[in-house]
Amino acid sequence: MIAVQGVDGTVVAVLGLGRSGLAAARALREGGAKVVVWDDTPAARDRAEAEGFEVRALTRDGSFDDVACLVTSPGIPHLYPAPNPVIAHALQAGVPVDNDIGLFFRSVGAEYDSFDTPPKVVAVTGSNGKSTTSALIHHVLTQAGRQCQLAGNIGRGVLDIDPPGDGGVVVLELSSYQTELSRALTPDVAVFTNLSPDHLDRHAGMGGYFAAKRRLFAEGGPDRCVIGVDEVEGRFLANQLSEGRGDDRVIRIATAKLTGPGWYVFARKGFLAEWRKGRQVASVDLREIPGLPGAHNHQNACAAWAACRSLGLGPREIEAGLRSFAGLPHRSQRIAEAGGVVYVNDSKATNVDSALKALLAFDRIRWVCGGLMKDGGLDGLAPGLSHVAKAYVIGREAETFALGLPGAEAEICTTMAEAVRRAMADAQPGEVVLLAPAAASFDQYDNFEKRGEDFIACVQAVLGQVG
């Protein structure tokens, strides 16, 4: 646990008592704060009370009179589409609002002066690929013998990790919900993977969404920035952060060749290349690495490569880590192969852009898709529909979703079990049965993990019957 600094003797309120909220409450108490908590769920309040925390209804008059700061969980809206009533009350009372990421950055470096080699923090954000990129950086560093911890939007809560030791590295995956509110953002290395429409209601449009991501780079001034420049937002961000074309504090990454005097890592036709000061210094064939299928994962590999190079690893160390990476559950996860058919779980493909990348990774697909549709429609899937032999649509909005796939054969299945059964019955050798929903899971599942687990269970059940 990382004890929060600067709170000794103060009263701090915590809103939301999930994984990150409870970890924040414990870390605040460890730092000497009196912690009061609230969650709309009675069971969550009971768990916190059992740990000795004072439960306080934070919307009552006077509930913030003695509170120095409110710490909120990332899923709770503080501005758009409307502030949560507790946060609205705190804003009215003039009480600063922060989150666990802000507490982490203001506390983690408290004892760095005692280290021979100060620890480093790598923070990864972006629309797609940030989980895989974060896990890949962690894997490569660990395989190279570096002390490393993975936290944030993946793995453990940031305040629940151990204080990093001499030369240690903390890798954080940060969502826009986390970066938009944190009052301190000071990573040593910051990574921006890409940007595509997502969470637009929460950020009141693409401008607000990009602004939330940009804070990671603008607020704390990282020593090195790794920026995906396939989209105009990334090119704009890289331009803002660099002093000139040869400024190697910014490493540009892309899925197309980059040229010039700067520092570049790009993947083209399955080959990763690192260029610096106008010459190639390393290259790797990514095509046969099973844990990194498709151009989108090649972009993730570029980001991880650049971050690890920033931390002093050599090309051979990084290549060895890439080759031993097994991938993450629910992210291009190869779960089975039978009768010449491959089964892939990409339940994390919750938006159109990430689902498109999954479609483009395979040639002929039996596609399980659908769920709670997001703003923006499905037009962005068009470039991948030629790879789809047939779509098997699930979810309460299955009929509407299917209508958004012009030119693609689609069958309304509604349930996962029916979609998997039909897709497996139709699949031919050489094809892929792919779950890449292009939609949120909340119409049928608690989260995308539960959806992916159901897909796996349905596939295994049918394979067991066949066997």
Side-chain angles (χ1 to χ4, degrees):
M1 179 189 299
I2 294 176
V4 177
Q5 302 297 303
V7 296
D8 189 24
T10 67
V11 178
V12 179
V14 174
L15 173 63
L17 297 171
R19 177 175 63 97
S20 65
L22 267 179
R26 298 178 189 121
L28 285 160
R29 183 165 61 186
E30 186 71 16
K34 176 187 176 182
V35 182
V36 299
V37 301
W38 181 256
D39 191 291
D40 290 339
T41 307
R45 298 197 297 266
D46 291 343
R47 286 193 297 270
E49 197 166 32
E51 290 194 32
F53 293 110
E54 177 188 334
V55 174
R56 181 186 295 184
L58 293 171
T59 54
R60 293 178 181 171
D61 290 343
S63 58
F64 278 100
D65 286 353
D66 61 343
V67 172
C69 177
L70 172 66
V71 176
T72 181
S73 294
I76 300 173
H78 64 274
L79 186 56
Y80 302 116
N84 175 277
V86 171
I87 295 179
H89 194 47
L91 297 176
Q92 184 68 34
V95 173
V97 181
D98 204 349
N99 61 17
D100 61 333
I101 304 301
L103 300 181
F104 168 84
F105 276 114
R106 87 185 208 190
S107 305
V108 72
E111 300 179 358
Y112 276 13
D113 291 343
S114 63
F115 294 133
D116 293 330
T117 305
K120 301 286 188 181
V121 177
V122 179
V124 180
T125 196
S127 296
N128 300 307
K130 57 185 178 292
S131 294
T132 297
T133 298
S134 300
L136 187 52
I137 295 169
H138 174 262
H139 175 79
V140 170
L141 289 168
T142 302
Q143 292 297 301
R146 298 284 290 271
Q147 179 198 100
C148 189
Q149 298 180 81
L150 180 64
N153 204 43
I154 185 174
R156 300 162 69 184
V158 292
L159 295 169
D160 197 35
I161 65 173
D162 300 324
D166 193 272
V169 180
V170 177
V171 181
L172 302 180
E173 178 197 336
L174 298 182
S175 71
S176 58
Y177 291 5
Q178 293 168 309
T179 58
E180 70 174 341
L181 189 61
S182 174
R183 298 173 74 91
L185 285 168
T186 54
D188 298 281
V189 180
V191 179
F192 176 86
T193 58
N194 49 56
L195 196 79
S196 62
D198 206 357
H199 310 304
L200 300 187
D201 57 339
R202 170 69 176 253
H203 300 293
M206 280 294 287
Y209 181 43
F210 178 53
K213 301 288 189 186
R214 183 182 176 277
R215 289 191 75 246
L216 180 63
F217 304 86
E219 295 295 314
D223 295 332
R224 181 149 279 131
C225 299
V226 176
I227 308 294
V229 295
D230 284 332
E231 296 88 26
V232 66
E233 291 89 353
R235 293 190 289 274
F236 176 79
L237 181 59
N239 184 275
Q240 283 200 311
L241 295 169
S242 61
E243 295 297 329
R245 297 182 69 207
D247 187 350
D248 66 2
R249 294 173 302 171
V250 176
I251 307 176
R252 291 167 171 83
I253 64 168
T255 55
K257 186 175 182 178
L258 300 173
T259 59
W263 194 351
Y264 308 115
V265 182
F266 58 85
R268 185 168 176 264
K269 295 182 179 180
F271 288 86
L272 180 151
E274 178 187 355
W275 284 68
R276 194 169 185 181
K277 298 180 179 178
R279 66 184 185 91
Q280 182 172 308
V281 297
S283 65
V284 178
D285 185 352
L286 301 173
R287 295 173 299 174
E288 301 303 320
I289 299 179
L292 297 168
H296 60 304
N297 276 310
H298 296 170
Q299 183 191 52
N300 298 335
C302 290
W305 181 286
C308 290
R309 290 287 277 149
S310 298
L311 296 171
L313 268 63
R316 290 186 179 179
E317 290 179 295
I318 302 173
E319 180 179 353
L322 296 182
R323 293 195 180 281
S324 61
F325 182 64
L328 286 177
H330 314 298
R331 296 163 179 87
S332 299
Q333 178 190 11
R334 185 169 171 151
I335 60 171
E337 181 175 357
V341 178
V342 174
Y343 299 88
V344 177
N345 166 29
D346 202 350
S347 183
K348 183 62 167 65
T350 59
N351 61 41
V352 165
D353 189 66
S354 56
L356 173 62
K357 288 179 169 64
L359 294 179
L360 294 175
F362 306 103
D363 292 330
R364 189 166 171 82
I365 300 165
R366 301 288 170 174
W367 180 30
V368 180
C369 55
L372 191 62
M373 294 174 63
K374 295 186 175 181
D375 292 342
L378 303 177
D379 291 349
L381 292 167
L385 294 183
S386 61
H387 294 233
V388 176
K390 186 175 179 180
Y392 305 82
V393 189
I394 65 173
R396 291 203 304 257
E397 301 175 333
E399 291 187 10
T400 303
F401 193 100
L403 290 173
L405 307 174
E409 183 181 357
E411 180 175 343
I412 307 301
C413 297
T414 308
T415 67
M416 182 69 74
E418 180 63 13
V420 168
R421 187 183 68 80
R422 294 296 308 137
M424 293 180 71
D426 293 344
Q428 301 297 312
E431 295 183 339
V432 173
V433 174
L434 169 70
L435 170 66
S441 59
F442 304 123
D443 58 334
Q444 293 180 307
Y445 302 94
D446 290 340
N447 48 53
F448 73 84
E449 291 96 341
K450 294 295 185 184
R451 177 171 59 191
E453 290 164 5
D454 191 21
F455 174 74
I456 294 171
C458 290
V459 169
Q460 291 174 340
V462 175
L463 289 178
Q465 294 169 6
V466 173

PDB file of all heavy atoms in Angstrom, residues 114-143:
ATOM      1  N   SER A 114      16.078   8.851  -1.323  1.00  0.00           N
ATOM      2  CA  SER A 114      16.890   7.827  -0.645  1.00  0.00           C
ATOM      3  C   SER A 114      17.350   6.725  -1.591  1.00  0.00           C
ATOM      4  O   SER A 114      18.095   5.833  -1.182  1.00  0.00           O
ATOM      5  CB  SER A 114      16.077   7.205   0.499  1.00  0.00           C
ATOM      6  OG  SER A 114      14.931   6.529  -0.012  1.00  0.00           O
ATOM      7  N   PHE A 115      16.944   6.767  -2.863  1.00  0.00           N
ATOM      8  CA  PHE A 115      17.285   5.704  -3.806  1.00  0.00           C
ATOM      9  C   PHE A 115      18.506   6.069  -4.638  1.00  0.00           C
ATOM     10  O   PHE A 115      18.690   7.225  -5.037  1.00  0.00           O
ATOM     11  CB  PHE A 115      16.112   5.431  -4.760  1.00  0.00           C
ATOM     12  CG  PHE A 115      14.887   4.863  -4.096  1.00  0.00           C
ATOM     13  CD1 PHE A 115      13.628   5.385  -4.353  1.00  0.00           C
ATOM     14  CD2 PHE A 115      14.982   3.794  -3.214  1.00  0.00           C
ATOM     15  CE1 PHE A 115      12.505   4.867  -3.751  1.00  0.00           C
ATOM     16  CE2 PHE A 115      13.860   3.263  -2.601  1.00  0.00           C
ATOM     17  CZ  PHE A 115      12.613   3.797  -2.870  1.00  0.00           C
ATOM     18  N   ASP A 116      19.331   5.063  -4.937  1.00  0.00           N
ATOM     19  CA  ASP A 116      20.430   5.271  -5.879  1.00  0.00           C
ATOM     20  C   ASP A 116      19.885   5.491  -7.287  1.00  0.00           C
ATOM     21  O   ASP A 116      20.379   6.322  -8.038  1.00  0.00           O
ATOM     22  CB  ASP A 116      21.366   4.048  -5.878  1.00  0.00           C
ATOM     23  CG  ASP A 116      22.107   3.897  -4.559  1.00  0.00           C
ATOM     24  OD1 ASP A 116      22.357   4.927  -3.904  1.00  0.00           O
ATOM     25  OD2 ASP A 116      22.421   2.748  -4.193  1.00  0.00           O
ATOM     26  N   THR A 117      18.860   4.696  -7.656  1.00  0.00           N
ATOM     27  CA  THR A 117      18.193   4.837  -8.947  1.00  0.00           C
ATOM     28  C   THR A 117      16.717   5.096  -8.689  1.00  0.00           C
ATOM     29  O   THR A 117      15.984   4.170  -8.314  1.00  0.00           O
ATOM     30  CB  THR A 117      18.356   3.571  -9.805  1.00  0.00           C
ATOM     31  OG1 THR A 117      19.742   3.266  -9.949  1.00  0.00           O
ATOM     32  CG2 THR A 117      17.728   3.770 -11.186  1.00  0.00           C
ATOM     33  N   PRO A 118      16.268   6.336  -8.844  1.00  0.00           N
ATOM     34  CA  PRO A 118      14.863   6.635  -8.537  1.00  0.00           C
ATOM     35  C   PRO A 118      13.916   5.787  -9.368  1.00  0.00           C
ATOM     36  O   PRO A 118      14.173   5.530 -10.555  1.00  0.00           O
ATOM     37  CB  PRO A 118      14.732   8.122  -8.901  1.00  0.00           C
ATOM     38  CG  PRO A 118      16.116   8.655  -8.831  1.00  0.00           C
ATOM     39  CD  PRO A 118      17.011   7.541  -9.268  1.00  0.00           C
ATOM     40  N   PRO A 119      12.819   5.324  -8.782  1.00  0.00           N
ATOM     41  CA  PRO A 119      11.806   4.592  -9.554  1.00  0.00           C
ATOM     42  C   PRO A 119      11.214   5.461 -10.659  1.00  0.00           C
ATOM     43  O   PRO A 119      11.303   6.692 -10.628  1.00  0.00           O
ATOM     44  CB  PRO A 119      10.751   4.241  -8.498  1.00  0.00           C
ATOM     45  CG  PRO A 119      11.476   4.295  -7.197  1.00  0.00           C
ATOM     46  CD  PRO A 119      12.492   5.386  -7.356  1.00  0.00           C
ATOM     47  N   LYS A 120      10.620   4.793 -11.639  1.00  0.00           N
ATOM     48  CA  LYS A 120       9.990   5.477 -12.764  1.00  0.00           C
ATOM     49  C   LYS A 120       8.516   5.088 -12.845  1.00  0.00           C
ATOM     50  O   LYS A 120       8.136   3.970 -12.475  1.00  0.00           O
ATOM     51  CB  LYS A 120      10.665   5.098 -14.078  1.00  0.00           C
ATOM     52  CG  LYS A 120      12.151   5.428 -14.153  1.00  0.00           C
ATOM     53  CD  LYS A 120      12.389   6.912 -14.334  1.00  0.00           C
ATOM     54  CE  LYS A 120      13.863   7.184 -14.602  1.00  0.00           C
ATOM     55  NZ  LYS A 120      14.131   8.641 -14.757  1.00  0.00           N
ATOM     56  N   VAL A 121       7.712   6.006 -13.372  1.00  0.00           N
ATOM     57  CA  VAL A 121       6.301   5.733 -13.629  1.00  0.00           C
ATOM     58  C   VAL A 121       6.038   5.907 -15.121  1.00  0.00           C
ATOM     59  O   VAL A 121       6.352   6.950 -15.701  1.00  0.00           O
ATOM     60  CB  VAL A 121       5.377   6.669 -12.829  1.00  0.00           C
ATOM     61  CG1 VAL A 121       3.916   6.396 -13.181  1.00  0.00           C
ATOM     62  CG2 VAL A 121       5.600   6.492 -11.331  1.00  0.00           C
ATOM     63  N   VAL A 122       5.482   4.864 -15.726  1.00  0.00           N
ATOM     64  CA  VAL A 122       5.055   4.908 -17.124  1.00  0.00           C
ATOM     65  C   VAL A 122       3.530   4.922 -17.130  1.00  0.00           C
ATOM     66  O   VAL A 122       2.900   4.036 -16.547  1.00  0.00           O
ATOM     67  CB  VAL A 122       5.561   3.691 -17.916  1.00  0.00           C
ATOM     68  CG1 VAL A 122       5.089   3.756 -19.374  1.00  0.00           C
ATOM     69  CG2 VAL A 122       7.078   3.596 -17.852  1.00  0.00           C
ATOM     70  N   ALA A 123       2.934   5.912 -17.769  1.00  0.00           N
ATOM     71  CA  ALA A 123       1.471   6.019 -17.817  1.00  0.00           C
ATOM     72  C   ALA A 123       1.007   5.906 -19.265  1.00  0.00           C
ATOM     73  O   ALA A 123       1.534   6.590 -20.148  1.00  0.00           O
ATOM     74  CB  ALA A 123       1.010   7.339 -17.219  1.00  0.00           C
ATOM     75  N   VAL A 124       0.020   5.039 -19.498  1.00  0.00           N
ATOM     76  CA  VAL A 124      -0.461   4.748 -20.846  1.00  0.00           C
ATOM     77  C   VAL A 124      -1.932   5.134 -20.950  1.00  0.00           C
ATOM     78  O   VAL A 124      -2.749   4.695 -20.132  1.00  0.00           O
ATOM     79  CB  VAL A 124      -0.300   3.248 -21.183  1.00  0.00           C
ATOM     80  CG1 VAL A 124      -0.796   2.955 -22.596  1.00  0.00           C
ATOM     81  CG2 VAL A 124       1.152   2.809 -21.018  1.00  0.00           C
ATOM     82  N   THR A 125      -2.264   5.933 -21.967  1.00  0.00           N
ATOM     83  CA  THR A 125      -3.657   6.270 -22.226  1.00  0.00           C
ATOM     84  C   THR A 125      -3.922   6.178 -23.723  1.00  0.00           C
ATOM     85  O   THR A 125      -3.023   5.927 -24.516  1.00  0.00           O
ATOM     86  CB  THR A 125      -4.023   7.658 -21.666  1.00  0.00           C
ATOM     87  OG1 THR A 125      -5.434   7.790 -21.612  1.00  0.00           O
ATOM     88  CG2 THR A 125      -3.425   8.778 -22.502  1.00  0.00           C
ATOM     89  N   GLY A 126      -5.170   6.390 -24.122  1.00  0.00           N
ATOM     90  CA  GLY A 126      -5.577   6.259 -25.515  1.00  0.00           C
ATOM     91  C   GLY A 126      -6.936   5.595 -25.580  1.00  0.00           C
ATOM     92  O   GLY A 126      -7.488   5.157 -24.563  1.00  0.00           O
ATOM     93  N   SER A 127      -7.511   5.507 -26.771  1.00  0.00           N
ATOM     94  CA  SER A 127      -8.825   4.889 -26.919  1.00  0.00           C
ATOM     95  C   SER A 127      -8.745   3.376 -26.915  1.00  0.00           C
ATOM     96  O   SER A 127      -9.481   2.701 -26.210  1.00  0.00           O
ATOM     97  CB  SER A 127      -9.496   5.365 -28.208  1.00  0.00           C
ATOM     98  OG  SER A 127      -9.758   6.741 -28.166  1.00  0.00           O
ATOM     99  N   ASN A 128      -7.839   2.829 -27.716  1.00  0.00           N
ATOM    100  CA  ASN A 128      -7.727   1.383 -27.874  1.00  0.00           C
ATOM    101  C   ASN A 128      -6.286   0.946 -27.670  1.00  0.00           C
ATOM    102  O   ASN A 128      -5.350   1.686 -27.970  1.00  0.00           O
ATOM    103  CB  ASN A 128      -8.203   0.968 -29.271  1.00  0.00           C
ATOM    104  CG  ASN A 128      -9.643   1.358 -29.524  1.00  0.00           C
ATOM    105  OD1 ASN A 128     -10.533   1.033 -28.737  1.00  0.00           O
ATOM    106  ND2 ASN A 128      -9.897   2.082 -30.606  1.00  0.00           N
ATOM    107  N   GLY A 129      -6.146  -0.263 -27.155  1.00  0.00           N
ATOM    108  CA  GLY A 129      -4.820  -0.846 -27.017  1.00  0.00           C
ATOM    109  C   GLY A 129      -4.072  -0.500 -25.751  1.00  0.00           C
ATOM    110  O   GLY A 129      -2.985  -1.024 -25.510  1.00  0.00           O
ATOM    111  N   LYS A 130      -4.656   0.350 -24.893  1.00  0.00           N
ATOM    112  CA  LYS A 130      -3.887   0.762 -23.719  1.00  0.00           C
ATOM    113  C   LYS A 130      -3.685  -0.373 -22.724  1.00  0.00           C
ATOM    114  O   LYS A 130      -2.643  -0.446 -22.071  1.00  0.00           O
ATOM    115  CB  LYS A 130      -4.497   1.987 -23.054  1.00  0.00           C
ATOM    116  CG  LYS A 130      -5.933   1.888 -22.617  1.00  0.00           C
ATOM    117  CD  LYS A 130      -6.420   3.235 -22.098  1.00  0.00           C
ATOM    118  CE  LYS A 130      -7.888   3.173 -21.688  1.00  0.00           C
ATOM    119  NZ  LYS A 130      -8.778   2.980 -22.856  1.00  0.00           N
ATOM    120  N   SER A 131      -4.659  -1.282 -22.604  1.00  0.00           N
ATOM    121  CA  SER A 131      -4.476  -2.418 -21.690  1.00  0.00           C
ATOM    122  C   SER A 131      -3.377  -3.347 -22.191  1.00  0.00           C
ATOM    123  O   SER A 131      -2.486  -3.745 -21.425  1.00  0.00           O
ATOM    124  CB  SER A 131      -5.779  -3.205 -21.548  1.00  0.00           C
ATOM    125  OG  SER A 131      -6.773  -2.449 -20.906  1.00  0.00           O
ATOM    126  N   THR A 132      -3.433  -3.692 -23.476  1.00  0.00           N
ATOM    127  CA  THR A 132      -2.407  -4.570 -24.033  1.00  0.00           C
ATOM    128  C   THR A 132      -1.039  -3.902 -23.983  1.00  0.00           C
ATOM    129  O   THR A 132      -0.039  -4.541 -23.636  1.00  0.00           O
ATOM    130  CB  THR A 132      -2.765  -4.948 -25.482  1.00  0.00           C
ATOM    131  OG1 THR A 132      -3.983  -5.693 -25.469  1.00  0.00           O
ATOM    132  CG2 THR A 132      -1.672  -5.797 -26.109  1.00  0.00           C
ATOM    133  N   THR A 133      -0.981  -2.623 -24.323  1.00  0.00           N
ATOM    134  CA  THR A 133       0.294  -1.908 -24.281  1.00  0.00           C
ATOM    135  C   THR A 133       0.857  -1.870 -22.867  1.00  0.00           C
ATOM    136  O   THR A 133       2.055  -2.120 -22.654  1.00  0.00           O
ATOM    137  CB  THR A 133       0.117  -0.483 -24.822  1.00  0.00           C
ATOM    138  OG1 THR A 133      -0.293  -0.550 -26.195  1.00  0.00           O
ATOM    139  CG2 THR A 133       1.407   0.307 -24.727  1.00  0.00           C
ATOM    140  N   SER A 134       0.013  -1.575 -21.890  1.00  0.00           N
ATOM    141  CA  SER A 134       0.480  -1.525 -20.498  1.00  0.00           C
ATOM    142  C   SER A 134       0.989  -2.891 -20.040  1.00  0.00           C
ATOM    143  O   SER A 134       2.066  -2.997 -19.439  1.00  0.00           O
ATOM    144  CB  SER A 134      -0.654  -1.064 -19.579  1.00  0.00           C
ATOM    145  OG  SER A 134      -1.122   0.213 -19.940  1.00  0.00           O
ATOM    146  N   ALA A 135       0.207  -3.931 -20.332  1.00  0.00           N
ATOM    147  CA  ALA A 135       0.611  -5.279 -19.938  1.00  0.00           C
ATOM    148  C   ALA A 135       1.870  -5.710 -20.668  1.00  0.00           C
ATOM    149  O   ALA A 135       2.721  -6.413 -20.095  1.00  0.00           O
ATOM    150  CB  ALA A 135      -0.521  -6.262 -20.220  1.00  0.00           C
ATOM    151  N   LEU A 136       2.017  -5.297 -21.914  1.00  0.00           N
ATOM    152  CA  LEU A 136       3.196  -5.658 -22.691  1.00  0.00           C
ATOM    153  C   LEU A 136       4.445  -4.973 -22.144  1.00  0.00           C
ATOM    154  O   LEU A 136       5.512  -5.602 -22.027  1.00  0.00           O
ATOM    155  CB  LEU A 136       2.969  -5.286 -24.155  1.00  0.00           C
ATOM    156  CG  LEU A 136       4.013  -5.720 -25.185  1.00  0.00           C
ATOM    157  CD1 LEU A 136       4.308  -7.211 -25.088  1.00  0.00           C
ATOM    158  CD2 LEU A 136       3.524  -5.357 -26.588  1.00  0.00           C
ATOM    159  N   ILE A 137       4.342  -3.705 -21.800  1.00  0.00           N
ATOM    160  CA  ILE A 137       5.476  -3.006 -21.172  1.00  0.00           C
ATOM    161  C   ILE A 137       5.872  -3.712 -19.880  1.00  0.00           C
ATOM    162  O   ILE A 137       7.055  -3.969 -19.620  1.00  0.00           O
ATOM    163  CB  ILE A 137       5.118  -1.530 -20.904  1.00  0.00           C
ATOM    164  CG1 ILE A 137       4.897  -0.778 -22.211  1.00  0.00           C
ATOM    165  CG2 ILE A 137       6.208  -0.854 -20.076  1.00  0.00           C
ATOM    166  CD1 ILE A 137       4.283   0.602 -22.033  1.00  0.00           C
ATOM    167  N   HIS A 138       4.878  -4.025 -19.056  1.00  0.00           N
ATOM    168  CA  HIS A 138       5.138  -4.720 -17.793  1.00  0.00           C
ATOM    169  C   HIS A 138       5.806  -6.056 -18.039  1.00  0.00           C
ATOM    170  O   HIS A 138       6.786  -6.427 -17.358  1.00  0.00           O
ATOM    171  CB  HIS A 138       3.820  -4.900 -17.044  1.00  0.00           C
ATOM    172  CG  HIS A 138       3.917  -5.714 -15.793  1.00  0.00           C
ATOM    173  ND1 HIS A 138       3.594  -7.055 -15.749  1.00  0.00           N
ATOM    174  CD2 HIS A 138       4.320  -5.387 -14.540  1.00  0.00           C
ATOM    175  CE1 HIS A 138       3.779  -7.518 -14.528  1.00  0.00           C
ATOM    176  NE2 HIS A 138       4.216  -6.529 -13.772  1.00  0.00           N
ATOM    177  N   HIS A 139       5.328  -6.808 -19.016  1.00  0.00           N
ATOM    178  CA  HIS A 139       5.890  -8.128 -19.322  1.00  0.00           C
ATOM    179  C   HIS A 139       7.340  -8.017 -19.796  1.00  0.00           C
ATOM    180  O   HIS A 139       8.211  -8.766 -19.324  1.00  0.00           O
ATOM    181  CB  HIS A 139       5.039  -8.808 -20.390  1.00  0.00           C
ATOM    182  CG  HIS A 139       5.594 -10.110 -20.873  1.00  0.00           C
ATOM    183  ND1 HIS A 139       5.459 -11.291 -20.166  1.00  0.00           N
ATOM    184  CD2 HIS A 139       6.321 -10.425 -21.987  1.00  0.00           C
ATOM    185  CE1 HIS A 139       6.066 -12.265 -20.818  1.00  0.00           C
ATOM    186  NE2 HIS A 139       6.586 -11.763 -21.926  1.00  0.00           N
ATOM    187  N   VAL A 140       7.595  -7.099 -20.713  1.00  0.00           N
ATOM    188  CA  VAL A 140       8.957  -6.946 -21.244  1.00  0.00           C
ATOM    189  C   VAL A 140       9.928  -6.555 -20.135  1.00  0.00           C
ATOM    190  O   VAL A 140      11.035  -7.101 -20.021  1.00  0.00           O
ATOM    191  CB  VAL A 140       8.967  -5.911 -22.379  1.00  0.00           C
ATOM    192  CG1 VAL A 140      10.401  -5.562 -22.781  1.00  0.00           C
ATOM    193  CG2 VAL A 140       8.198  -6.422 -23.588  1.00  0.00           C
ATOM    194  N   LEU A 141       9.529  -5.602 -19.298  1.00  0.00           N
ATOM    195  CA  LEU A 141      10.396  -5.173 -18.207  1.00  0.00           C
ATOM    196  C   LEU A 141      10.656  -6.304 -17.219  1.00  0.00           C
ATOM    197  O   LEU A 141      11.789  -6.516 -16.765  1.00  0.00           O
ATOM    198  CB  LEU A 141       9.766  -3.983 -17.484  1.00  0.00           C
ATOM    199  CG  LEU A 141       9.741  -2.655 -18.255  1.00  0.00           C
ATOM    200  CD1 LEU A 141       8.839  -1.654 -17.545  1.00  0.00           C
ATOM    201  CD2 LEU A 141      11.151  -2.091 -18.381  1.00  0.00           C
ATOM    202  N   THR A 142       9.607  -7.048 -16.887  1.00  0.00           N
ATOM    203  CA  THR A 142       9.752  -8.162 -15.944  1.00  0.00           C
ATOM    204  C   THR A 142      10.670  -9.230 -16.513  1.00  0.00           C
ATOM    205  O   THR A 142      11.547  -9.761 -15.808  1.00  0.00           O
ATOM    206  CB  THR A 142       8.372  -8.751 -15.606  1.00  0.00           C
ATOM    207  OG1 THR A 142       7.535  -7.731 -15.046  1.00  0.00           O
ATOM    208  CG2 THR A 142       8.504  -9.888 -14.607  1.00  0.00           C
ATOM    209  N   GLN A 143      10.487  -9.565 -17.797  1.00  0.00           N
ATOM    210  CA  GLN A 143      11.334 -10.571 -18.437  1.00  0.00           C
ATOM    211  C   GLN A 143      12.784 -10.118 -18.499  1.00  0.00           C
ATOM    212  O   GLN A 143      13.702 -10.947 -18.492  1.00  0.00           O
ATOM    213  CB  GLN A 143      10.818 -10.861 -19.850  1.00  0.00           C
ATOM    214  CG  GLN A 143       9.474 -11.576 -19.888  1.00  0.00           C
ATOM    215  CD  GLN A 143       9.524 -12.948 -19.250  1.00  0.00           C
ATOM    216  OE1 GLN A 143      10.285 -13.807 -19.663  1.00  0.00           O
ATOM    217  NE2 GLN A 143       8.712 -13.157 -18.218  1.00  0.00           N
TER     218      GLN A 143
END
